[in-house]
Amino acid sequence: MTDLRIGHGYDVHRLVEGRALIIGGVSIPSPVGLLGHSDADVLTHAVMDAIIGALSLGDIGKHFPDTDPRFKGADSLVLAAHVCDLMTERGYRVGNIDATVIAQAPKLAPYIAEMRDNLARTFRVSADRVNVKATTEEKLGFTGAKEGIAAHAVCLLIKD
Ligand code: MG
């Protein structure tokens, strides 16, 4: 019998000057970038947390503490590949991932396909099982004020 597990992830990072803006493994031209211990890839973090959640393995902070110098400036896709290993070791594969990035600026549409490909490759699944959306919050709240960027993700894992 097929064993299905659902997971949810949510992440926020603050926008500051002097940092690269990396979302879904894509380096996006921007005068501001996301602040964090790693590369602060908010989308990848949300997806990682969704998968960690589906596996009932706690949260991203438990696996990659922001006090650990090994993860300073880390490429989040490399950390995500480790999460993929945790998943495959337990016999699961990704059924699908659906994620939403909430950002007032910049416009993310030109980068969505590359984000999707990066996540699909990292989690060893075909791109048609990964969906990435972007929205604004109509200038409301911290995302609307361009103080930060948020991301939500859900995933379904399958054990055949
Ligand atoms: Mg994060």
Side-chain angles (χ1 to χ4, degrees):
M1 189 178 136
T2 303
D3 180 359
L4 301 176
R5 304 197 71 144
I6 192 168
H8 166 262
Y10 174 66
D11 195 29
V12 171
H13 283 270
R14 184 183 293 274
L15 282 166
V16 295
E17 291 180 357
R19 288 273 300 186
L21 179 61
I22 297 169
I23 303 179
V26 182
S27 201
I28 298 169
S30 167
V32 289
L34 293 170
L35 181 64
H37 185 64
S38 67
D39 64 4
D41 184 336
V42 65
L43 169 61
T44 300
H45 291 181
V47 173
M48 290 165 70
D49 239 356
I51 291 174
I52 290 168
L55 296 168
S56 299
L57 290 176
D59 61 33
I60 191 171
K62 178 179 158 186
H63 294 270
F64 308 101
D66 64 8
T67 50
D68 189 330
R70 283 181 302 160
F71 305 129
K72 186 165 170 50
D75 177 344
S76 293
L77 289 179
V78 172
L79 306 184
H82 176 67
V83 171
C84 186
D85 289 341
L86 295 176
M87 176 184 71
T88 52
E89 283 163 11
R90 285 159 182 78
Y92 288 92
R93 62 183 171 86
V94 169
N96 74 304
I97 292 167
D98 185 23
T100 304
V101 181
I102 304 167
Q104 191 64 42
K107 281 272 172 254
L108 298 179
Y111 310 104
I112 294 287
E114 193 178 348
M115 293 176 192
R116 187 183 183 202
D117 286 346
N118 286 343
L119 291 170
R121 185 180 65 254
T122 301
F123 290 104
R124 298 183 207 125
V125 70
S126 57
D128 66 353
R129 289 179 182 269
V130 178
N131 193 62
V132 177
K133 310 184 289 300
T135 186
T136 73
E137 282 183 310
E138 300 287 343
K139 299 187 178 172
L140 294 166
F142 71 85
T143 68
K146 303 181 190 173
E147 292 169 354
I149 292 178
H152 294 262
V154 290
C155 70
L156 193 69
L157 303 188
I158 302 171
K159 186 190 257 182
D160 296 306

